[in-house]
Amino acid sequence: KVVEPGAFGSFIGKLELKIKDGKVINDEYSFIEINPKKLAEDKKISAIIREAEAPYKAEMNTIAGYSKQPLYRYFVIENTIDTLILNALRFKLGKRIDVILSNGFRFCPPHATPDHTGNIPITNGYIFDMLPIDSQVKTAKATGKQIMTWLEKELNNVFAANAAERFGGWMIKFNGMEIKFRAFGENGKRVEEIKINNIPLDPDKTYSIAACERDGDPEDMLCRMRNVKEPQLQSFTLHQCIKEFLSVNSPVDLTISGNAKVLDASPELLTQVSGVDYEFR
């Protein structure tokens, strides 16, 4: 009985509890579709939103660049929005960083409507939809063994058979690293192959990594990887990287790289849940 179901404001879960003497004695649940053709907008709320947005409207609607492909985050394993983030970071950081990471977010509405150019405009406002927090970029170093241990844990966070062990959103995304894995394999033994810069992972070698800084994380943590060495905050943010990348390369090609090859599921997997009779589509 999920009270925050669906995505992009498409549904509401309504849960009514009847409580007597401090105990729940009955509950009624309903799943309500928010259909704009049946439900009129609330004019008072709409006016409040317009007033709040007014000072920022011009900046929000400014086009930072264009994409050749629709922008989406539906697929668990790889998608075009994270490809944009990874490509922008690679553009900014170059080859001095071995592995670039993008967190496994699930939020952000899709965008597939081209304008007069025939390509899909990416506004400053949409960049905030993709990344609501404009985090600083952080670099660090980690051994191959650390990366392997961290990756197994990340995969279990996403694909654990026990729902209580699933932590957070979709799978981590990366550039500079290629893996082969079994999504629904045994915990700690999902990864079958890792290559960094087209060379098999060396457990004893130290690699450079980059991702976004998460507020509140310890200094020696990067993208949930613990005990990283030489952590360093860069002078630029994710938003700045994306805007700079788009300004030079627009319209960008966000073809999925196939860096994460899943051996027991579709690469277009829409859920990390298995063994249910519901079809995600």
Side-chain angles (χ1 to χ4, degrees):
K1 298 170 181 176
V2 181
V3 294
E4 294 186 24
F8 323 130
S10 54
F11 297 95
I12 286 179
K14 182 181 180 182
L15 179 63
E16 295 183 83
L17 304 177
K18 189 173 183 179
I19 300 171
K20 184 177 182 179
D21 298 329
K23 295 182 180 180
V24 177
I25 60 172
N26 187 46
D27 66 80
E28 293 184 8
Y29 177 80
S30 53
F31 186 59
I32 305 168
E33 180 183 5
I34 307 303
N35 187 332
K37 294 180 180 179
K38 297 179 180 179
L39 298 172
E41 69 172 331
D42 186 305
K43 293 183 179 180
K44 183 178 179 181
I45 297 298
S46 295
I48 292 171
I49 293 172
R50 285 195 298 272
E51 182 180 358
E53 286 184 340
Y56 314 102
K57 202 70 175 178
E59 176 65 16
M60 288 166 58
N61 291 336
T62 298
I63 296 173
Y66 288 88
S67 170
K68 296 178 182 178
Q69 289 88 3
L71 294 151
Y72 58 84
R73 262 198 175 123
Y74 287 127
F75 300 140
V76 178
I77 297 171
E78 289 187 273
N79 55 60
T80 55
I81 285 178
D82 285 290
T83 298
L84 171 60
I85 295 167
L86 292 168
N87 290 356
L89 283 169
R90 178 61 72 191
F91 171 81
K92 184 70 175 179
L93 295 167
K95 294 183 178 180
R96 67 186 178 94
I97 299 297
D98 294 312
V99 180
I100 293 172
L101 306 170
S102 180
N103 211 331
F105 300 121
R106 284 182 291 189
F107 46 71
C108 186
H111 180 23
T113 306
D115 65 8
H116 65 280
T117 67
N119 294 301
I120 297 167
I122 303 172
T123 63
N124 290 335
Y126 194 73
I127 291 173
F128 267 102
D129 283 342
M130 291 189 288
L131 296 162
I133 298 174
D134 185 15
S135 302
Q136 277 184 275
V137 176
K138 186 176 180 179
T139 59
K141 292 183 178 179
T143 65
K145 183 179 179 180
Q146 278 180 283
I147 293 172
M148 180 70 174
T149 301
W150 162 83
L151 186 55
E152 286 284 5
K153 183 174 175 57
E154 286 290 309
L155 289 170
N156 195 64
N157 286 344
V158 178
F159 296 108
N162 180 356
E165 296 178 13
R166 290 199 290 271
F167 175 81
W170 289 162
M171 182 176 160
I172 199 81
K173 314 297 190 294
F174 37 82
N175 177 292
M177 181 166 69
E178 297 178 4
I179 73 168
K180 292 180 181 178
F181 72 103
R182 296 188 181 277
F184 304 107
E186 183 180 348
N187 184 16
K189 298 180 180 179
R190 287 184 171 89
V191 178
E192 296 208 355
E193 181 181 84
I194 303 179
K195 289 183 179 181
I196 293 179
N197 297 324
N198 296 315
I199 300 171
L201 182 79
D202 182 345
D204 299 319
K205 183 177 178 179
T206 297
Y207 297 92
S208 55
I209 58 177
C212 64
E213 168 74 346
R214 299 196 314 167
D215 290 344
D217 275 356
E219 184 181 0
D220 64 347
M221 178 182 285
L222 184 57
C223 214
R224 294 181 296 277
M225 191 185 302
R226 298 179 180 276
N227 301 316
V228 298
K229 304 299 182 185
E230 302 179 31
Q232 184 176 357
L233 282 174
Q234 303 300 302
S235 60
F236 45 85
T237 68
L238 284 176
H239 285 201
Q240 289 170 338
C241 283
I242 291 172
K243 290 177 182 179
E244 186 176 332
F245 175 63
L246 289 170
S247 69
V248 174
N249 296 280
S250 185
V252 292
D253 182 354
L254 303 180
T255 302
I256 299 301
S257 63
N259 284 335
K261 293 182 173 61
V262 59
L263 302 176
D264 59 348
S266 166
E268 298 181 349
L269 199 63
L270 288 168
T271 176
Q272 72 271 60
V273 179
S274 61
V276 296
D277 57 6
Y278 179 82
E279 179 185 353
F280 293 86
R281 58 191 189 274

